[in-house]
Amino acid sequence: MPNQSQVEQILKGAGFIAALDQSGGSTPKALRLYGIDEGAYASEDEMYDLIHAMRSRIAEAPEFSGDKVIGAILFEKTMDREMGGKPSGTYLWEDSRVVPFLKVDKGLADAADGVQLMKPIDGLDALLKRAVAAEMFGTKMRSVIGEASKSGIAANVAQQFEIGKQILAAGLVPIIEPEITISMDNKADAEAMLLDAIGAELDALKPGEDVMLKLTLPETANQYKALVDHDRVMRVVALSGGYDRAEANARLAKNAGVVASFSRALTEGLSASQDDATFRAQLADTIDSIYRASICG
């Protein structure tokens, strides 16, 4: 079952959750933004070595600590490697007081009815056992909403909660992430539908079946206040979704009780070419800005 000290960190900690979980498809872009293009590696293994070095440089920096970063989401290959001479999850908690989570989805299915469901997660039970052994606190899984389709959104959320219950049964806390695409013309309509669909699923959960939610920053401030206050929700976190850090922070600050879980907005401005002092100064400024936006309200 979840570590009680980690439960308290997630429930009450002031700060945000870092998303360090770029997968195979998004890793080349993440490396390019970090200043490493495709010509710098000749194989997938070399690519993963480079992205792990980037993640380790972030996570091992003294500025990356539980005082402002309450949790971190890891890619499977990151979980399986080491940081600071220890297994990644162990290092994050023991050395930094950062609660570790594992990304478990295997990507998106083709679009249908305005949404992209998750592909089947083959071998999920075995992966969850490995996650428990690697001292993960919880998991994260992403699906996408591209249109304000009531039936599509309901199906998307139903899939998330169905798999979420499997994760809960393994003793882990699921972060449920039905991402709304920020470029939608009718984004606010989709957000209203999503609120209703998630609320219905939460109401059907039993005491002790507590989850976390990762949602796109909404058009209307405090759109998801009812979810923040729901008894079955440990924390609502927000993804940057393509907004730059300034825009993401400004939107986040308007949503009381919601904290960040940024990926691109977290690594924005960091570069492989920076010396350690410059890198750490940029990381400190970034963490501080996201932290301040997360604790507003």
Side-chain angles (χ1 to χ4, degrees):
M1 299 304 292
N3 177 309
Q4 191 57 39
S5 295
Q6 294 177 341
V7 169
E8 292 298 310
Q9 172 84 327
I10 294 302
L11 287 174
K12 301 176 182 179
F16 64 94
I17 294 177
L20 301 175
D21 61 332
Q22 297 92 349
S23 58
S26 56
T27 294
K29 181 177 181 180
L31 286 172
R32 281 197 304 274
L33 293 173
Y34 185 56
I36 300 174
D37 62 29
E38 284 89 337
Y41 48 90
S43 67
E44 188 175 82
D45 286 343
E46 290 181 9
M47 178 185 75
Y48 283 125
D49 287 343
L50 289 167
I51 196 71
H52 186 71
M54 182 190 85
R55 291 167 176 156
S56 297
R57 192 181 188 192
I58 293 169
E60 292 176 22
E63 294 76 14
F64 192 91
S65 75
D67 292 338
K68 294 182 178 179
V69 184
I70 61 174
I73 304 168
L74 307 179
F75 181 48
E76 184 178 347
K77 289 182 181 293
T78 309
M79 177 187 76
D80 291 339
R81 297 193 184 206
E82 291 189 347
M83 292 178 175
K86 297 179 181 180
S88 295
T90 303
Y91 173 82
L92 284 170
W93 180 243
E94 289 186 351
D95 292 62
S96 302
R97 306 307 284 179
V98 173
V99 178
F101 294 81
L102 173 67
K103 168 186 162 68
V104 296
D105 67 84
K106 302 299 183 184
L108 301 171
D110 293 338
D113 198 12
V115 302
Q116 286 180 274
L117 301 180
M118 292 178 285
K119 291 179 179 177
I121 308 176
D122 296 332
L124 178 58
D125 285 332
L127 178 58
L128 296 176
K129 288 180 181 178
R130 287 177 49 221
V132 170
E135 302 185 67
M136 297 294 109
F137 174 81
T139 66
K140 190 217 78 163
M141 50 190 175
R142 170 179 174 265
S143 49
V144 171
I145 296 165
E147 298 176 17
S149 163
K150 186 174 181 179
S151 57
I153 290 171
N156 187 303
V157 172
Q159 183 196 42
Q160 284 274 349
F161 275 84
E162 180 183 3
I163 298 173
K165 291 175 184 177
Q166 185 177 352
I167 292 163
L168 284 165
L172 296 162
V173 175
I175 300 177
I176 287 168
E177 183 186 9
E179 175 182 346
I180 288 180
T181 304
I182 66 171
S183 58
M184 289 173 55
D185 292 333
N186 50 354
K187 181 168 175 279
D189 293 336
E191 288 163 355
M193 295 173 187
L194 180 62
L195 175 62
D196 289 343
I198 292 176
E201 292 285 352
L202 291 173
D203 289 344
L205 293 177
K206 301 174 184 176
E209 292 182 331
D210 296 342
V211 303
M212 297 172 64
L213 303 172
K214 182 168 179 175
L215 306 174
T216 304
L217 290 158
E219 296 304 295
T220 302
N222 294 313
Q223 169 74 22
Y224 298 122
K225 184 65 163 57
L227 305 181
V228 172
D229 295 338
H230 199 286
D231 288 344
R232 299 280 69 79
V233 176
M234 295 182 69
R235 207 81 187 244
V236 177
V237 303
L239 58 105
S240 50
Y243 296 121
D244 64 26
R245 184 165 60 247
E247 175 70 10
N249 282 341
R251 286 175 173 261
L252 176 62
K254 298 175 182 177
N255 290 273
V258 179
V259 305
S261 179
F262 294 168
S263 176
R264 279 170 289 182
L266 172 66
T267 57
E268 181 182 319
L270 299 177
S271 172
S273 64
Q274 290 168 331
D275 60 38
D276 286 345
T278 304
F279 180 90
R280 286 182 55 189
Q282 176 63 62
L283 181 62
D285 285 346
T286 295
I287 287 174
D288 189 58
S289 73
I290 298 172
Y291 169 80
R292 285 186 276 107
S294 293
I295 64 173
C296 281

